[in-house]
């Protein structure tokens, strides 16, 4: 016999042996009720349905040996195998006892035989049978029945991960607003129902304040043997957040009890700076392994989205600076207003085209720049500085500029001062100047000004101008 | 200092930024020059050189004067900013805020303004906030309807009830827009500036009649340290209010007590239209008049201001598109000056339009156009920028601009086109690097301007954020 044939024969024998072992095991697991149909007219011939212990409800192996003794029938080996994991809470004896005196007491076939099959055509009981009595008027047994009547908490089961993930999802869980509006109230009135499908880990995956919520503490935690399916924290936005000015008013309605369900201190400090510790302490801090809490992005209030906010936020800030300081430190103002070194506020070519903004006052230069130090210094170095001569000079478009400049100067005086010094103007606008032209306007209150700063009057006037009389413009 | 400060105070709760910036600025100054009278031509708009540069020819002179563009100059400005606020210094409610700036001129013949001032402490104050009262001591600034006012001194704010806040402040006054006393930073630059420091005194009250609404009033004066004269004496009122349906109002006005006249004033109403708030309208009215301190002669020249009305709108037809537009009309006050030949234009208009389009999650385009015609200068400008978010860390921006500017009181006009590239790179955490370079070219279009606007700009910045708010994590 060739070596190949020996190998093939050995493989066949091995396969047959394996098949025999498997067949034996199958016989051990599933008792062939149908083959014994004629022998056992009553279930109680082998089973004790009222027994409290599961093992006692099944026949002992020596009962099989009465026939399967190797003489009458071949020997068999049958042992009670553990039941597949489930989350049921069912007491056979209790059910028998409770219905024993009723017209239709519960029998084995009530649940394990599908009518009109013979008694030995047994099947596993189905949950629908339970509901026929325990929730017979229910539209949905996951909603209208008392879960704990038939089920044990998930934490007490050994359900595999796939079965946990496939547990039926009650219809109300799908309703809009369930998480925000309903689930808390349901849990607050008792967590027994929740615990049938959930362990505490499901709560703590979202609730950042889980440790301080009594209802969450009532939900049993998953033992190590239970491999829970993965789920991510989910934080739907409450309707209360979608109102006008919520970013301004949330401080009034914020309460540690409500906010702390979803928000950690990081939610506050995303925007706020320097909040008092007493406020922050009301919320838990983000911690490794705990629920992440809502992740916020620092988004500017809608007032900041106004097209001209960058240029026009002054009145807002002036009227309510405290509101600004909720989110900004004092440095934030200086980032722009202290003439930053980076092109933050002005475009890169602003130097080339700033004339219109400066003349027109569209941007109020002096809010950030000192005209003398910043503007005049640059103009001087760029050749735009006035030389103090009474000629048209730089104003080349205006041959009679000297005669015409008054109106332009009154309107654009700030622009004038970016090139001209005070002494340039005093060549004419002074009692000591060439033409002694009064620069004062129609509504100039000389006495009022003199009372506040008489020294500057003497820049143009010799002596007391009010006593000497002021020339009209 | 950069290395030491953050490390020393991190554990106490610090939020701050250190920014190192280098800027390259290319400029073409103008210089006065002369040209023989014989070489001057006369056309409809006056005397000019053969190539159109306007000249001024004094009577009887054989030489005419002109301004021409000088040679190219450039400046390299280095700036180091460090700013932080530190909390939790061992005393409840105690914090410190500091903003420092060091500058240097790192090359080039042109000294960029302020780079010759090596160091400024712009803010340096300690604050004790106990809820009902807040005290600040050190270099600080007060912000209100009168603008920013810096001082070295003390401010005390009390909040006796939730709807009322009262503040008083005073100290050595600092020059407006600068962080040093006037007699130090402006000495030599201006006439009539006494060599003495000044004091600033002021107070404000903020009344909050409802959440989202506030009215504030402020009085402030500055006086020379020898009490010889006032520098400023002003008061202001500001209000803001948020109302139903997203309507908000902000208004402010100030009064110059020294001269007895109103200063700036503004009011803005903003409201969304439609249930989905895709369209926002904003209407504002503004009166502007420049303010000058009493130690200069400028305020005595009775500057006149203008009244301006402006409408702005933003429309977001889809999450990816934002369209904005604005229109403004301005009228200047009566100057009470003689009219020679022709009056000045006393009205001005400004039109603007723009759009932001997020073409794809990583791509966005922003374009805008503005036309401003009025007193002093006119501008027509268009800008466009394309931004590419190349991953989580890198963003690249290409921008372009074109503008035509006409200056009214001298022969100065130019059309300039330019563009450049910029980038931002988040190194890690709050550390980022950014930079860019832009080139601008003037198209003379047959008529040369006085100045040459062919220029370049470049910048690079390293920004390091350090520390974190003490509210994060464990509370002591």
């Amino acid at each position: 016999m060739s070596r190949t044939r020996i190998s093939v024969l050995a493989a066949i024998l091995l396969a047959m042996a394996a098949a025999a072992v498997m067949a034996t095991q199958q016989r051990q697991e599933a008792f062939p009720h149908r083959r014994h149909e004629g022998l056992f007219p009553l279930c109680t011939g082998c089973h004790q349905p009222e027994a409290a212990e599961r093992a006692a409800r099944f026949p002992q192996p020596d009962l099989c040996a009465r026939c399967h003794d190797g003489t009458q029938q071949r020997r068999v080996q049958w042992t009670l195998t553990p039941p597949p994991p489930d989350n049921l809470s069912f007491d056979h004896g209790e059910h028998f006892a409770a219905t024993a005196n009723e017209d239709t007491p519960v029998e084995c076939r009530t649940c394990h035989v599908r009518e009109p099959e013979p008694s030995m055509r047994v099947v596993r009981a189905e949950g629908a049978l339970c509901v026929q009595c325990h929730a017979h008027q229910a539209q949905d047994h996951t909603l209208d029945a008392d879960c704990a009547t038939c089920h044990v908490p998930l934490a007490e089961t050994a359900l595999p991960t796939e079965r946990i993930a496939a547990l039926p999802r009650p219809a109300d869980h799908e309703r809009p607003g369930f998480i925000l509006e309903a689930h808390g109230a349901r849990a607050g009135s008792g967590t027994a129902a929740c615990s049938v499908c959930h362990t505490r880990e499901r709560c703590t995956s979202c609730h950042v304040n889980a440790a301080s919520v009594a209802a969450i503490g009532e939900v049993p935690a998953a033992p190590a043997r239970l491999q829970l399916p993965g789920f991510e924290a989910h934080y739907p936005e409450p309707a209360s957040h979608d109102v006008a000015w919520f970013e301004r008013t949330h401080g009034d309605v914020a309460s540690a009890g409500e906010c702390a369900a979803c928000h950690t201190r990081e939610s506050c400090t995303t925007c706020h700076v320097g909040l008092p510790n007493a406020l922050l302490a009301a919320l838990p801090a983000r911690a490794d392994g705990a629920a992440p809490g809502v992740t916020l992005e620092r988004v500017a209030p809608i007032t900041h989205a106004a097209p001209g906010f960058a240029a026009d936020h002054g009145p807002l800030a002036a009227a309510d600076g405290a509101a600004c300081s909720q989110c900004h430190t004092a440095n934030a103002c200086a980032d722009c207003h202290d003439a930053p070194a980076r092109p933050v506020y002005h475009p890169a070519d602003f130097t080339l085209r700033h004339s219109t903004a400066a003349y027109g006052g569209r941007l109020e230069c002096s809010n950030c720049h000192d005209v003398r130090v910043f503007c005049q210094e640059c103009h001087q170095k760029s050749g735009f500085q006035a030389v103090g001569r009474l000629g048209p000079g730089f104003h080349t478009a205006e041959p009679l500029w000297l005669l015409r400049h008054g109106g332009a100067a009154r309107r654009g005086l700030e622009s004038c001062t970016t090139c001209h010094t005070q002494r340039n103007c005093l060549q004419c606008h002074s009692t000591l100047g060439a033409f002694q032209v009064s620069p004062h306007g129609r509504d100039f209150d000389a006495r009022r000004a003199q009372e506040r700063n008489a020294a500057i009057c003497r820049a143009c006037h010799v002596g007391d101008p009010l006593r000497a009389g002021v020339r009209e413009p | 200092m950069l290395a030491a400060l953050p490390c020393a105070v991190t554990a106490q709760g610090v939020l701050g930024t250190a920014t190192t910036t280098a800027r390259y600025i290319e400029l073409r100054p103008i210089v006065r020059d002369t040209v023989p009278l014989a070489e001057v031509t006369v056309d409809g708009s006056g005397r000019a050189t053969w190539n159109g540069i306007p000249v001024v020819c004094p009577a009887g002179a054989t030489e005419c004067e002109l301004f021409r563009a000088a040679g190219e100059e450039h400046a390299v400005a280095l700036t180091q900013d460090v700013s932080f606020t530190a909390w939790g210094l061992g005393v409840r409610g105690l914090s410190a805020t500091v903003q420092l700036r060091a500058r240097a001129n790192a090359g080039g013949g042109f000294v960029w303004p302020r780079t010759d001032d090596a160091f400024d402490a712009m803010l340096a104050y300690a604050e004790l906030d106990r809820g009902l009262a807040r005290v600040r001591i050190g270099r600080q600034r007060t912000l209100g309807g009168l603008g920013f006012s810096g001082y070295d001194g003390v401010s005390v704010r009390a909040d006796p009830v939730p709807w009322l806040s009262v503040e008083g402040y005073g100290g050595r006054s600092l020059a407006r827009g600068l962080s040093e006393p006037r007699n130090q930073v402006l000495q030599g630059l201006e006439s009539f500036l006494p060599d003495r420091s000044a004091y600033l005194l002021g107070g404000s009250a903020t009344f909050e009649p409802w959440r989202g609404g506030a009215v504030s009033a402020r009085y402030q004066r500055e006086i020379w340290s020898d009490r010889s004269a006032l520098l400023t004496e002003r008061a202001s009122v500001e209000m803001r209010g948020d109302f139903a349906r997203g309507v908000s109002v902000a208004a402010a006005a100030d009064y110059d007590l020294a001269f007895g006249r109103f200063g700036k004033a503004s009011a803005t109403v903003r409201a969304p239209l439609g249930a989905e708030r895709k369209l926002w309208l904003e209407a504002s009215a503004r009166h502007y008049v420049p303010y000058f301190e009493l130690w200069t002669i400028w305020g005595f020249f009775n500057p006149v201001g203008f009244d301006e009305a402006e409408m702005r709108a933003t429309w977001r037809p889809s999450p990816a598109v934002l369209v904005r537009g604005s229109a403004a009309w301005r009228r200047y006050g009566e100057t009470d000056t003689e009219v020679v030949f022709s009056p000045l234009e006393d009205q001005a208009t400004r039109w603007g339009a723009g759009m932001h389009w997020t073409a794809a999650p990583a791509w966005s385009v922003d374009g805008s156009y503005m036309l401003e015609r009025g007193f002093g200068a006119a501008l027509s400008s268009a800008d466009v920028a394309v931004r590419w978010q190349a991953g989580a860390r890198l963003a690249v921006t290409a921008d372009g601009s074109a503008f035509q500017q006409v200056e009214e009181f001298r022969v100065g006009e130019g059309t300039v086109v330019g563009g450049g590239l910029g980038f931002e790179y988040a190194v890690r955490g709050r550390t980022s690097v950014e930079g860019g370079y832009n080139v601008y070219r003037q198209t003379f279009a047959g008529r040369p301007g006085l100045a040459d606007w062919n220029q370049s700009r470049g910048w690079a910045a390293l920004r390091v954020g350090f520390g974190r708010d003490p509210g994060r994590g464990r509370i002591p």
Side-chain angles (χ1 to χ4, degrees), chain A residues 94-119:
Chain A
E94 186 181 307
H95 279 72
F96 278 105
T99 62
N101 298 323
E102 292 183 2
D103 295 338
T104 54
V106 169
E107 300 173 337
C108 297
R109 62 175 296 127
T110 305
C111 300
H112 293 288
V113 175
R114 288 179 182 153
E115 297 296 349
E117 294 283 333
S119 293

Side-chain angles (χ1 to χ4, degrees), chain A residues 245 248 265 312 334 338 341 352-353 355 372 394 400 404 410-411 414 422 440 443 448 452, chain B residues 23 99 101 141 230 233 242-243 257 288 301-302 312 335 341-342 345 383 407 410 455 473:
Chain A
W245 312 118
R248 287 189 61 80
R265 290 171 199 165
D312 296 340
D338 270 315
L352 304 180
R353 51 166 146 162
S355 301
R372 292 164 296 263
F394 180 75
L400 295 175
R404 300 193 66 198
R410 281 242 164 87
R411 284 183 185 174
E414 199 167 34
Q422 298 177 72
H440 303 312
D443 58 347
R448 188 183 187 110
R452 283 163 172 79
Chain B
R23 293 189 72 186
Q99 182 163 26
R101 176 170 292 173
R141 61 165 62 95
L230 284 174
E233 187 181 24
D242 299 336
F243 302 95
L257 292 158
Y288 175 76
F301 280 44
N302 282 52
R312 304 188 191 106
T335 61
F341 291 140
S342 60
E345 184 64 51
D383 294 86
E407 295 175 340
R410 64 190 177 99
Q455 297 178 6

